[in-house]
């Protein structure tokens, strides 16, 4: 409406100025009179322009209304998105708090599991501390009563000194692997002694005698260790080969500790990776990093 009024005012001023100039010209000059038809044409053109202005203004208003509506819809959506973002931030904060609590709980559980695993390994090793493995004894030599056979056979076979207490074995059996068809590969016998001192005496006497043979078969006696302990001791095989190549004295102690004699010092390693890193550094440099010293190897 304001635009229409301003345009009408502009065109009225223009027409008034034209009429005044026309009057002035007619006063000063002797010009012929303007025909009446020209005035009619001017009024028709004015009406057409006003009609076009009204149409354009109505279209502008429609576009403005559409823009206003879209802006209001965007405001609603932005408000909704803002609420969702606030909720998401709250959820993320709660999740971070719960994750932190879970991480603390998991770390505590891991520490407890490691402690329980160590205790379980210790109990398993203690339960088998009186066990021995007899390897190489032909199948069937022990008969149906391996306990009585070993109690009578071992003292004679190993020339054990006379003792106040007779050698007593709680139980004995072949391992539970299927019986092999090859007679030269008998299954090993696992037996448990009643007293730990008897186990130590048997191993000591076996070491003193050296190679043991029975009916032209080589016999071996080993301590019976758990599977986990066996795997830990087996992990030092690569390091032991490396020590042998470099001519460094070493010993693998019970349960799974590597003792080496390096430059007059006894060093102990519970991890094969630490021992390997040390020997690599020692081979590249003359001086090595200081390591913790412990009691001497037996």
């Amino acid at each position: 409406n304001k635009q229409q009024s301003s345009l009408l005012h502009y065109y009225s001023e223009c027409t008034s100025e034209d009429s005044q100039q026309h009057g002035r010209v007619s006063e000063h000059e002797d010009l012929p009179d303007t025909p009446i038809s020209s005035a009619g044409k001017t009024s028709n053109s004015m009406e057409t322009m006003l009609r076009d202005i009204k149409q354009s203004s109505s279209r502008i208003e429609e576009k403005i209304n559409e823009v206003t509506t879209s802006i209001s819809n965007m405001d609603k959506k932005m408000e909704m998105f803002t609420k969702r973002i606030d909720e998401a931030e709250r959820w993320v904060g709660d999740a971070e708090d719960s994750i932190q609590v879970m991480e603390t709980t998991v770390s505590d559980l891991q520490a407890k599991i490691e402690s329980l695993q160590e205790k379980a390994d210790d109990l398993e090793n203690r339960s088998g501390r009186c066990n021995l493995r007899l390897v190489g004894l032909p199948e069937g030599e022990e008969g149906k009563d391996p306990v009585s056979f070993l109690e009578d056979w071992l003292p004679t076979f190993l020339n054990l000194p006379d003792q106040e207490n007779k050698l007593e074995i709680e139980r004995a059996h072949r391992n539970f692997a299927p019986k092999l068809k090859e007679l030269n590969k008998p299954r090993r016998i696992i037996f448990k002694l009643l007293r730990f001192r008897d186990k130590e005496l048997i191993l000591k006497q076996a070491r003193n005698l050296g190679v043991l043979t029975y009916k032209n078969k080589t016999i071996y006696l080993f301590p019976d260790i758990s599977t986990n302990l066996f795997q830990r001791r087996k992990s030092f095989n690569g390091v032991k080969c490396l020590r042998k190549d470099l001519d460094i004295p070493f010993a693998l102690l019970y349960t799974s500790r590597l003792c080496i004699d390096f430059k007059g010092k006894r060093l102990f390693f519970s991890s094969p990776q630490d021992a390997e890193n040390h020997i690599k550094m020692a081979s590249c440099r003359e001086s090595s990093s200081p390591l913790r010293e412990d009691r001497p190897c037996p």
Side-chain angles (χ1 to χ4, degrees):
N1 294 328
K2 292 181 179 181
Q3 291 178 355
Q4 291 177 3
S5 60
S6 61
L7 290 173
L8 291 173
H9 181 68
Y10 174 73
Y11 282 112
S12 62
E13 288 180 354
C14 291
T15 52
S16 62
E17 289 179 358
D18 291 339
S19 60
Q20 289 177 2
Q21 290 178 359
H22 180 69
R24 291 173 184 173
V25 170
S26 60
E27 291 177 357
H28 295 285
E29 298 179 0
D30 294 334
L31 297 174
D33 297 332
T34 305
I36 299 174
S37 60
S38 62
K41 292 180 179 180
T42 303
S43 61
N44 292 331
S45 63
M46 290 291 294
E47 291 177 358
T48 304
M49 293 177 65
L50 290 173
R51 186 170 58 253
D52 294 338
I53 290 170
K54 288 180 180 179
Q55 291 179 356
S56 63
S57 64
S58 62
R59 291 177 182 174
I60 291 171
E61 288 179 356
E62 291 176 358
K63 297 295 182 182
I64 290 173
N65 292 331
E66 291 178 359
V67 172
T68 304
T69 304
S70 63
I71 290 173
S72 62
N73 293 333
M74 290 178 65
D75 290 338
K76 292 179 181 179
K77 290 181 180 180
M78 288 296 296
E79 185 178 358
M80 182 176 61
F81 290 154
T82 303
K83 291 181 180 179
R84 290 185 178 180
I85 290 172
D86 294 339
E87 292 178 357
E89 289 179 350
R90 185 170 63 256
W91 293 342
V92 169
D94 296 339
E96 288 178 350
D97 296 338
S98 62
I99 289 172
Q100 186 175 5
V101 174
M102 291 176 62
E103 288 179 350
T104 304
T105 305
V106 168
S107 61
D108 294 340
L109 291 175
Q110 287 179 345
K112 290 180 180 179
I113 289 172
E114 291 178 358
S115 176
L116 292 174
Q117 184 64 45
E118 291 178 357
K119 291 181 179 180
D121 292 342
D122 182 69
L123 290 174
E124 184 179 2
N125 296 328
R126 287 180 182 276
S127 65
R129 67 195 301 262
C130 292
N131 292 359
L132 286 176
R133 290 176 180 261
L134 180 62
V135 181
L137 186 70
E139 290 276 352
E141 286 292 327
E142 71 278 10
K144 295 183 179 180
D145 189 3
V147 173
S148 299
F149 171 78
L150 292 175
E151 287 179 347
D152 296 334
W153 176 72
L154 279 175
T156 305
F157 178 69
L158 296 176
N159 296 324
L160 295 179
D162 295 335
Q163 300 181 21
E164 296 181 1
N165 297 323
K166 180 184 176 182
L167 182 68
E168 296 184 43
I169 297 176
E170 292 187 359
R171 54 184 178 270
H173 60 83
R174 296 273 181 178
N175 64 348
F176 298 112
K179 189 175 182 180
L180 300 176
K181 295 181 180 180
E182 301 178 5
L183 298 177
N184 58 347
K185 291 184 179 180
R187 295 174 297 171
R188 64 191 62 187
I189 294 178
I190 302 173
F191 60 96
K192 182 176 183 180
L193 295 160
L194 179 62
R195 289 175 290 274
F196 180 76
R197 290 184 178 180
D198 293 340
K199 172 193 171 182
E200 294 294 317
L201 178 62
I202 290 173
L203 291 177
K204 182 179 179 181
Q205 188 66 14
R207 286 194 296 268
N208 293 334
L209 293 176
V211 180
L212 304 176
T213 56
Y214 176 76
K215 292 184 178 181
N216 296 326
K217 300 290 184 181
T218 305
I219 304 298
Y220 301 96
L221 281 167
F222 300 105
D224 183 35
I225 58 177
S226 63
T227 304
N228 293 333
L229 181 59
F230 176 76
Q231 293 296 333
R232 288 202 301 269
R233 294 173 68 89
K234 188 177 179 181
S235 64
F236 283 94
N237 289 342
V239 181
K240 289 192 294 184
C241 294
L242 189 62
R243 304 289 179 183
K244 288 180 179 178
D245 295 338
L246 296 175
D247 195 18
I248 298 177
F250 69 91
L252 186 60
L253 306 179
Y254 187 83
T255 54
S256 56
R257 298 178 67 203
L258 184 68
C259 173
I260 64 171
D261 189 356
F262 184 74
K263 293 184 179 180
K265 295 182 180 180
R266 297 290 177 89
L267 305 178
F268 296 85
F269 300 93
S270 299
S271 171
Q273 187 64 35
D274 295 341
E276 186 175 357
N277 293 336
H278 174 77
I279 192 60
K280 287 180 179 179
M281 292 175 62
S283 61
C284 295
R285 302 176 183 177
E286 295 182 356
S287 60
S288 61
S289 58
L291 298 174
R292 183 179 63 85
E293 295 187 15
D294 208 335
R295 61 180 180 83
C297 296

